Every structure is written in C-alpha cells, then in structure tokens.
Amino acid sequence: MKLSLLALLPIGFCLSLPRQQPQKLVKWMPLGDSITDYGCWRAWIYLRLQNDPLLYDSVDLVGGERAGEICDDSEFDRDHEGHPGFPAIQMANEGIVSEWLGRNPADVVTMHLGTVDIVRGKPRTEELLKAYTALVGQMRGRNPGMRIVVAQIIPLGLSAEKNEQVKELNRAIPAWAASQNTTASPIWVVDLFTGFDPEVDLYDGIHASSSGIQKIADGFYPTLLTAIRDVQGVGLD
C-alpha cells in the first residue's frame, strides 16, 4: 500500500519552508475499528501536519495501539485507538472509550465507526446513533472541551444491501451531529463516502486500498486541521 507523500502535498508546496515556533501541543486520538488501524492514512496526515510550518511538532497522536505498516519507510507517530472487529455498539456499551481516554488524554478525536456493526448484522440506524451519542458522552466526560470529528463512513463493497445500510447511517449523521454539537465541544462531520469507489478504493470489500487510503486522508485532513487550530485558538487563513 505504498503511496508517495509528495502526491498528498499541495501543488507548489515546498518542504524547505522555514519552521516557525510551534503552537500549543494538541493530542489527537484516531478512534475506530480496522479501518482506523490498517493502512497509512494516519501516517499521511501526520506527515502533512509535520510539514506545515505552523504546526510542526505541535500535534501528538495518542492511543494504546501502535500501527505496523511501514508506509514508505516514513517516520510517523503510530499511536491510535483503532480496534479491528470492534462494533460501535459494543464499544459504547462497555464504556471502554472512557478508559482509553483516561490512559491517553486527547484534545481531538476523529471517529470512523459502524462498519463492523453493519458487516456483522443489520443494526438500525437509531441504534448506531445511540452508540455514537454514548461515545461522545464518554469523550466529554474525560474532556469537556473535546473537539470531535465524525466520519460519514466509507462504502462497503460486500453487497448492495450492506451499502444501503451505510448510506442510511451516513444520511442521518449530519442531523445527529447538529443535535449533539456544543460551543464548548464542537462536532464536525466529514464525508468519506462521496467519491469513494468500492471497486477501486477497497481491496477486500471493506478495507481501503492505496487509492482509498489517500481519499480517507484527504477527507479527514481539512476538518482535522480546523479542530486542531480551534484547540490552539488559532484561526485558519
């Protein structure tokens, strides 16, 4: 799944830009299942952050898991909380996110969850949103000012029925997020579904291929950057 970092950087971006003094350190926890664990999208985001002269050395990935991918031999922060096979509903019911955040406090959480639930069964969208609400409560219980980025999840290539469940969940996420949003702990939604081709961007009907990994990184990055700058109290130009 090798992918050149240069392909992810804006045209005209110069790696030799002078470094500025780093901003306040922001701790970012990527939370999810195997789609968060596998692949190099976290690496590509981390490297892009490191090559932003305003953010250099001011973002720390946190979590109890460690990524194993080489990712073009890149040195990147491998900490995360991506747990293969872990359904969102079970994660919420067990209260485990509160424990993870207790061990590894975070300022920002990115969340891509629900795929395992849909692959294994037919959960109602309301059940998944109830789990999301519980997870947000656990995050805010550890950090009342948590910034939360929630993904409209990537497609499934297993069957049309499963993908319809994904679409139904994704359609409901923006209204759910608006109902849970607060000034102290804002929630942003990122659309990782639109433009994601299961035939090309998945390698097994579930997990992202090299092209899919790039799309996940590209989808998360702008909103994650907004959340980071919000923690730092710095606006985007």
Side-chain angles (χ1 to χ4, degrees), residues 8 28 30-31 34-46 71 110 112 208 212-218 220 224:
L8 292 166
W28 161 36
L31 173 67
S34 56
I35 293 167
T36 296
D37 182 27
Y38 301 166
C40 293
W41 65 265
R42 287 174 289 98
W44 305 145
I45 289 177
Y46 176 77
C71 301
T110 54
H112 186 291
I213 287 166
Q214 181 171 357
K215 288 181 179 180
I216 292 173
D218 289 344
F220 265 132
L224 174 61

Side-chain angles (χ1 to χ4, degrees), residues 70-168:
I70 299 302
C71 301
D72 281 354
D73 299 319
S74 300
E75 291 295 327
F76 68 99
D77 191 339
R78 296 171 180 268
D79 300 325
H80 66 96
E81 289 290 358
H83 296 263
F86 214 141
I89 293 171
Q90 179 185 348
M91 194 179 289
N93 289 342
E94 291 183 359
I96 194 71
V97 170
S98 180
E99 294 181 26
W100 293 337
L101 285 166
R103 291 193 290 266
N104 295 287
D107 304 295
V108 178
V109 172
T110 54
M111 187 174 87
H112 186 291
L113 277 169
T115 301
V116 174
D117 305 75
I118 292 172
V119 168
R120 291 185 178 177
K122 296 181 180 180
R124 290 181 291 111
T125 293
E126 292 79 9
E127 293 178 291
L128 286 167
L129 295 180
K130 181 179 178 181
Y132 282 12
T133 299
L135 293 168
V136 167
Q138 292 171 37
M139 295 174 200
R140 289 172 173 166
R142 288 294 183 178
N143 178 358
M146 187 75 78
R147 274 66 165 184
I148 304 164
V149 181
V150 177
Q152 291 172 291
I153 64 176
I154 64 174
L156 284 169
L158 301 177
S159 70
E161 180 184 13
K162 294 295 185 185
N163 212 33
E164 282 304 313
Q165 286 185 269
V166 171
K167 291 178 183 178
E168 182 179 327

